[in-house]
Amino acid sequence: MKDLMGRAIWDYFKNENPEDLQTETSISELDELPVKYLFRDFEEMNKIEKKALKLSHGKVLDIGAGAGSHSLYLQNDRDLDITALDISPKAIQVCQLRGIQKAVAQNMLEFSGETYDTILLLMNGTGIFQSLKVIDICLKKLHSLLNKNGQILIDSTDILYMFDQDEDGGVLIPANGYYGELDYIVHYKGESEDPIKWLYLDFNTLKNAAENNGFTIEKVLQDEDSYLAKLTKK
């Protein structure tokens, strides 16, 4: 991993000639992602993010913390015990420099040692599952990190709207695999990250997977094609 996302976050924070990121997927064209967006404050966040942060309580694990904006709000404005977790070493360095007291650069599947009252996975949190083939492994891991009466707050988007429709209104989706399993590529300063698998889940598919792995689930908020879900232990 070249850690291009982390490098962009670092460059922006340190004002070292930052440029906007470019992203693309197997079903979408190149798109600009302003690095400044990753440093937004609470008032600039969307409805789903705000709802998740307001629902957070107790000891919190922020998985896929990025530049740490969610963690900072919970630590400084909500006075919660927050751990920021991200696979990007550069992003975690920035989290630490921004004042996050607990920040760890590690893969979620390798992270252990504590359990939490709230686990956050935001900005298409289901993406970290990569594909339906490994979603059970990820959900079992999350189950082990969650306290008995804890909650997982996770968001995603049903991307069915991105596919063409036929004359009868039916959606033309690929016959092989689940339509939300995409290849995701990040570009920065003329370099390209190796493609990674990224998973967008419709709510019913997430519901079935969650219930098969010891969770109850409810939809907390729907915002157009995106939603926030809460998972708790059965």
Side-chain angles (χ1 to χ4, degrees), residues 55-232:
L55 289 174
S56 297
H57 61 78
K59 188 163 66 171
V60 183
L61 178 64
D62 180 11
I63 297 177
S69 295
H70 299 139
S71 294
L72 268 180
Y73 171 78
L74 293 176
Q75 176 184 279
N76 297 344
D77 292 69
R78 295 283 315 282
D79 197 28
L80 296 180
D81 180 352
I82 176 81
T83 298
L85 181 70
D86 201 284
I87 198 170
S88 163
K90 282 289 187 184
I92 288 301
Q93 279 185 275
V94 170
C95 286
Q96 293 166 340
L97 291 170
R98 295 183 78 191
I100 297 172
Q101 296 170 10
K102 298 180 182 178
V104 180
Q106 197 170 20
N107 188 304
M108 177 194 77
L109 294 175
E110 299 168 356
F111 180 75
S112 63
E114 297 186 63
T115 54
Y116 297 86
D117 301 303
T118 300
I119 298 177
L120 288 177
L121 296 101
L122 299 178
M123 296 181 69
N124 190 52
T126 64
I128 202 169
F129 299 155
Q130 298 187 340
S131 77
L132 292 180
K133 293 178 181 178
V134 295
I135 191 172
D136 289 343
I137 296 172
C138 294
L139 286 170
K140 284 180 172 65
K141 179 63 178 183
L142 289 170
H143 197 279
S144 73
L145 292 171
L146 192 65
N147 284 333
K148 181 180 178 181
N149 296 315
Q151 60 176 351
I152 296 170
L153 298 171
I154 184 169
D155 71 333
S156 195
T157 300
D158 185 349
I159 61 169
L160 194 63
Y161 72 91
M162 296 183 68
F163 294 86
D164 294 330
Q165 292 187 346
D166 60 26
E167 294 178 355
D168 299 322
V171 181
L172 303 171
I173 58 175
N176 55 330
Y178 175 66
Y179 66 87
E181 294 181 353
L182 305 182
D183 291 326
Y184 184 81
I185 306 171
V186 173
H187 308 276
Y188 184 63
K189 289 188 174 180
E191 293 188 63
S192 299
E193 199 75 74
D194 291 336
I196 62 170
K197 294 295 182 183
W198 197 247
L199 183 62
Y200 291 87
L201 281 179
D202 68 278
F203 179 75
N204 285 334
T205 301
L206 176 60
K207 182 175 185 289
N208 290 335
E211 291 176 344
N212 287 336
N213 284 282
F215 292 105
T216 57
I217 181 172
E218 65 174 294
K219 186 188 292 184
V220 175
L221 180 64
Q222 182 83 37
D223 186 18
E224 297 182 349
D225 295 293
S226 299
Y227 63 88
L228 176 67
K230 180 170 80 168
L231 282 62
T232 52

Side-chain angles (χ1 to χ4, degrees), residues 2-22:
K2 298 176 183 176
D3 196 12
L4 298 184
M5 184 75 73
R7 281 168 52 186
I9 289 170
W10 176 269
D11 288 349
Y12 182 87
F13 181 74
K14 301 292 285 187
N15 197 24
E16 295 182 357
N17 302 312
E19 296 179 10
D20 286 342
L21 289 152
Q22 293 182 311

Side-chain angles (χ1 to χ4, degrees), residues 40-46 50 53-54 73 77:
R40 65 202 179 283
D41 61 24
F42 181 81
E43 293 306 319
E44 297 172 302
M45 294 178 190
N46 62 39
K50 289 179 178 178
L53 294 178
K54 288 178 180 178
Y73 171 78
D77 292 69

